[in-house]
Amino acid sequence: MTLTLGTATRDRLRIAIQKSGRLAEPARKLLAACGLSWRESRDKLFCYGETLPVDLLLVRDDDIPGLIADGVCDLGVVGRNELEEQAGTRLRNGLAPAYRELRGLGFGQCRLMLAVPEDWDWTGPGQIKDKGLRIATSYPAILGQWLAREGIDAQVVELSGSVEIAPRLGTAELICDLVSSGATLVANQLKPVENLLDSEAVLAGPAGSFDDARAGLAQMLLRRVDGVLQLKDRKLLMFNAAREALPALEQLLQDAGPLVVVPDQGRPGGNGTLALQTMCEGTVSWQQLEDLERAGARGLMVLTVERSLA
Ligand code: PRT
Ligand code: ZN
């Protein structure tokens, strides 16, 4: 299969996602929830979009910012850490910004942290000023920016992996690496002390805008992504109640959205009973339902919202 490279006019949108790794599965799930589906090709690098003219390119996460910068891909799902690092490298090399973060996607959360041997008493960044210490990292650009901001003169030791063993190997005194549970640091007798970046998977796009059919496709996709993200963890709570019970019910539903009265369209047996609904974040527990029932709610129902357009 031949891929058209470059920035030529295109009427299909091409999204790069990680082929395998932490972000691969959630990225596919998110795009599928946006109504996209693909025909898998045998080389498994390119998936042709079936429901919409939106194709997937399956690549290494490190390659995604560059593919967007070169116009090979239009959008990409990548960790903010990777995007910021490559943006920082471009800046250092005098290149113009080539991509931007369009949405935080709420998965792949981690932090880029400075970590020190666990027996150090950490008092703050001032502690490593003018000491000429070595910091091992795979994120030299982000670390370099932080060091400059803090006025710290340290030596950045760039490693492509296994950063956490550098202090034990004697190649650096500190490290700067991604942390999620923190177990890797603990296993290497290190502790996190400074947070350089809060990261998650993001939808990234080019710095400029599209001037062909891709503009409309990208806009539609963003709207659907927003819809999916908004619905995450949302439940619609429906019930009936007498008007007199409303104050007590509203009291119990303080954390939910506004309580809406559904217009009664001449249903039999109305006799002053209101049909009510509200949107709740997170789970609605049995305890909450029982409390609402005691306060006068009847016919309680909790529904998962599958799709919505704001
Ligand atoms: O093959 P490819 O190059 O595509 O994959 P990769 O191995 O470079 O990336 P991958 O799949 O490991 O990570 C992809 C993205 O997931 C990263 O760029 C981050 O945005 C995000 N992410 C979220 C993480 C972590 N959490 C994470 N914990 N990336 C790496 N880690 C590392 C961490 O540095 C530590 O070494 O996982 C290890 C376990 O972390 P703890 O703190 O839970 O012990
Ligand atoms: Zn990678």
Side-chain angles (χ1 to χ4, degrees):
M1 173 173 309
T2 50
L3 295 179
T4 318
L5 304 184
T7 50
T9 299
R10 284 207 298 262
D11 55 4
R12 299 183 68 85
L13 197 68
R14 200 176 284 160
I15 308 178
I17 65 167
Q18 203 185 14
K19 184 174 193 293
S20 58
R22 286 184 167 81
L23 309 182
E25 197 51 38
R28 269 174 173 260
K29 270 197 179 143
L30 171 72
L31 296 174
C34 289
L36 307 184
S37 70
W38 309 271
R39 197 187 317 145
E40 303 275 345
S41 66
R42 249 174 295 139
D43 64 12
K44 288 232 173 109
L45 291 178
F46 185 84
C47 305
Y48 186 83
E50 294 201 305
T51 38
L52 284 167
V54 180
D55 306 321
L56 282 193
L57 205 57
L58 308 183
V59 296
R60 291 196 55 191
D61 64 343
D62 322 50
D63 294 334
I64 294 176
L67 290 169
I68 297 173
D70 294 342
V72 178
C73 282
D74 305 310
L75 301 174
V77 176
V78 61
R80 180 177 295 132
N81 48 293
E82 201 56 57
L83 199 68
E84 292 282 314
E85 175 63 22
Q86 297 199 25
T89 307
R90 285 184 71 91
L91 191 70
R92 216 161 47 183
N93 295 333
L95 295 169
Y99 26 74
R100 65 197 162 110
E101 181 177 322
L102 301 172
R103 294 292 186 277
L105 299 176
F107 58 86
Q109 285 101 340
C110 56
R111 287 174 299 162
L112 183 64
M113 304 230 32
L114 188 72
V116 301
E118 61 189 3
D119 54 1
W120 282 27
D121 283 326
W122 184 254
T123 54
Q127 189 176 341
I128 55 169
K129 249 181 198 157
D130 308 322
K131 295 256 169 60
L133 295 175
R134 296 163 302 168
I135 311 177
T137 191
S138 309
Y139 295 88
I142 301 178
L143 175 60
Q145 287 167 353
W146 183 81
L147 291 171
R149 262 198 321 273
E150 298 287 341
I152 296 169
D153 181 21
Q155 191 189 325
V156 176
V157 179
E158 187 174 345
L159 298 177
S160 56
S162 304
V163 170
E164 63 280 354
I165 58 167
R168 270 197 291 161
L169 296 180
T171 49
E173 286 76 31
L174 301 84
I175 71 159
C176 167
D177 201 9
L178 296 177
V179 179
S180 48
S181 70
T184 304
L185 291 185
V186 171
N188 289 280
Q189 289 102 50
L190 297 167
K191 63 179 178 188
V193 289
E194 298 286 332
N195 183 4
L196 276 62
L197 179 77
D198 280 313
S199 187
E200 64 180 323
V202 303
L203 184 67
S209 47
F210 304 114
D211 52 8
D212 51 29
R214 288 173 294 173
L217 287 169
Q219 202 181 10
M220 180 181 67
L221 184 72
L222 277 176
R223 198 155 173 245
R224 291 189 182 186
V225 166
D226 287 341
V228 172
L229 295 179
Q230 259 171 30
L231 286 186
K232 224 173 154 197
D233 277 353
R234 280 205 173 176
K235 300 278 181 289
L236 182 68
L237 175 66
M238 299 179 78
F239 55 92
N240 300 317
R243 191 173 291 279
E244 307 80 76
L246 275 184
L249 291 168
E250 269 169 338
Q251 183 72 25
L252 288 170
L253 290 167
Q254 274 178 24
D255 295 337
L259 196 54
V260 177
V261 180
V262 183
D264 184 341
Q265 293 172 340
R267 268 175 297 149
N271 56 22
T273 302
L274 302 173
L276 298 152
Q277 66 181 43
T278 186
M279 201 63 92
C280 301
E281 297 280 341
T283 48
V284 181
S285 68
W286 286 110
Q287 179 71 53
Q288 284 170 299
L289 290 185
E290 286 153 7
D291 290 346
L292 288 164
E293 194 174 47
R294 264 189 294 279
R298 295 291 174 266
L300 282 149
M301 261 196 294
V302 182
L303 286 85
T304 303
V305 186
E306 196 170 307
R307 225 157 267 159
S308 102
L309 278 180

